[in-house]
Amino acid sequence: MTATYRGGEPVAAIERSGFTESLHRGSVAVTDPSGARTAAVGDADRAVFPRSSNKPMQALAMLRAGWEPASEADLAIAGASHRGEPFHIERARSVLAHAGLGEEHLQCPPDLPGDPDARNAVVAAGGGPRRVYMNCSGKHSGMLAACAAAGWDPGTYRDPEHPLQRLIAETVEELTGESVAATGVDGCGAPVLAVSLTGLARAFARLVEAPEGTPERRVADAMRANPILVDGTRGPDHRAMSALPGLLAKGGAEGVHVLAVPGVGAAAVKIDDGGGRASTPVALRALTALGGLAVPEDAKPEVDALLWPEVLGGDRPVGRLRPLL
């Protein structure tokens, strides 16, 4: 039986009007560029489901299966948790079209766009949920394109025993340096693989440190070159990657977040309550305070806004979320 994640320590506080209102507990792992762990908070050794933070490794497996994206933007959407904005949908459809496939082949659940403006536009036009609007449709499109490239059955691509899913598991184990501790079903219906926060940080360090032109580096470069595709106009990963040169960032459901910078290392975070509001601030704080990332002066306003998000009262700032690392 797999040892389950046991929870962490206080890693963030919500301060309202000078009073500590709430605490978030969680765990953190920080590695150097080689993937060796240099700092840890809480339980960095037992496995968690990284959820969508696994997507860069899944995209790497798609390349290893023989998929050749029509553009680096198409590769970026395969590693994204998009918000259903028009440019996201265009990219997912591009991946499918270049593989000779269509939306009817997607097996992620139908959904409305996550971005409020995109969702309102769909509803105002009389539209409803569609599979391509779901935030994992880029990943599912990439999985289908990889199946087409390899000659594998696209009808069963979500099956854990499908050749693509076995290749993904092998890729995750290679990059994390760990055996997959458990296999579950992600929110999108595809397999999700459990690894430790230390292994997850190690994998991201390996992606950004890989030699230029390798499949590993292609995934990192595609996502960093197209951050708005990764989580949308309002997304913290888009904002962080736009502000910090070289940063690779990918959030996941249930309070997971991973950041990596070449020459610095990586930080992986799990917030115990599964909420997302503390994951970006804690991950950024881990990489700066524990990992030694120096923030350029011109990036400090945006990084500070992500590190210390405001708490509002009566439509005005009355406090902040404060990372405790």
Side-chain angles (χ1 to χ4, degrees):
M1 182 176 175
T2 301
T4 57
Y5 175 70
R6 66 186 177 190
E9 303 173 11
V11 292
I14 304 297
E15 296 182 346
R16 178 182 297 275
S17 304
F19 182 84
T20 299
E21 183 174 33
S22 301
L23 289 172
H24 287 287
R25 295 178 179 272
S27 298
V28 179
V30 180
T31 70
D32 67 15
S34 75
R37 193 169 75 192
T38 56
V41 176
D43 185 2
D45 294 318
R46 287 178 174 81
V48 302
F49 281 135
R51 304 294 297 274
S52 286
S53 293
N54 275 345
K55 284 180 177 175
M57 292 184 282
Q58 292 169 318
L60 171 59
M62 298 172 204
L63 295 180
R64 290 179 171 182
W67 176 43
E68 185 51 50
S71 67
E72 296 308 287
D74 282 8
L75 177 55
I77 202 69
S81 295
H82 69 69
R83 302 288 287 170
E85 296 174 85
F87 49 87
H88 294 138
I89 306 310
E90 178 186 355
R91 289 269 63 83
R93 287 173 171 160
S94 172
V95 173
L96 291 168
H98 283 94
L101 300 165
E103 293 179 38
E104 68 275 12
H105 294 95
L106 292 170
Q107 294 180 22
C108 50
D111 203 354
L112 287 167
D115 178 78
D117 292 339
R119 181 172 60 252
N120 291 341
V122 167
V123 173
R130 299 180 64 162
R131 297 184 192 277
V132 76
Y133 295 155
M134 198 263 172
N135 74 330
C136 293
S137 71
K139 177 183 77 175
H140 281 250
S141 297
M143 287 180 172
L144 284 165
C147 289
W152 294 329
D153 179 13
T156 58
Y157 73 90
R158 299 189 313 176
D159 188 325
E161 295 305 315
H162 189 282
L164 176 61
Q165 300 303 335
R166 292 202 304 268
L167 179 58
I168 288 173
E170 292 170 6
T171 300
V172 168
E173 290 185 338
E174 176 191 330
L175 264 68
T176 62
E178 299 178 354
S179 297
V180 170
T183 301
V185 181
D186 212 334
C188 65
V192 60
L193 308 175
V195 294
S196 74
L197 291 175
T198 299
L200 191 58
R202 182 182 298 121
F204 272 64
R206 288 176 172 172
L207 289 171
V208 300
E209 295 293 342
E212 188 173 358
T214 60
E216 293 86 350
R217 180 69 175 273
R218 279 189 69 188
V219 171
D221 286 350
M223 294 175 68
R224 292 183 292 191
N226 298 277
I228 199 169
L229 293 178
V230 174
D231 65 349
T233 303
R234 298 172 172 84
D237 289 337
H238 169 214
R239 293 171 59 192
M241 286 192 281
S242 297
L244 291 169
L247 178 71
L248 176 64
K250 186 67 193 76
E254 295 300 319
V256 178
H257 226 110
V258 195
L259 309 178
V261 175
V264 175
V269 169
K270 165 71 176 176
I271 303 300
D272 290 353
D273 60 23
R277 69 178 176 179
S279 62
T280 295
V282 173
L284 274 171
R285 181 63 177 171
L287 201 58
T288 54
L290 304 179
L293 173 65
V295 178
E297 284 296 325
D298 60 354
K300 284 185 177 179
E302 180 72 324
V303 172
D304 284 349
L306 290 166
L307 263 173
W308 321 101
E310 293 178 336
V311 171
L312 301 180
D315 293 327
R316 63 184 180 87
V318 296
R320 291 189 181 277
L321 185 152
R322 182 167 62 89
L324 300 178
L325 304 180

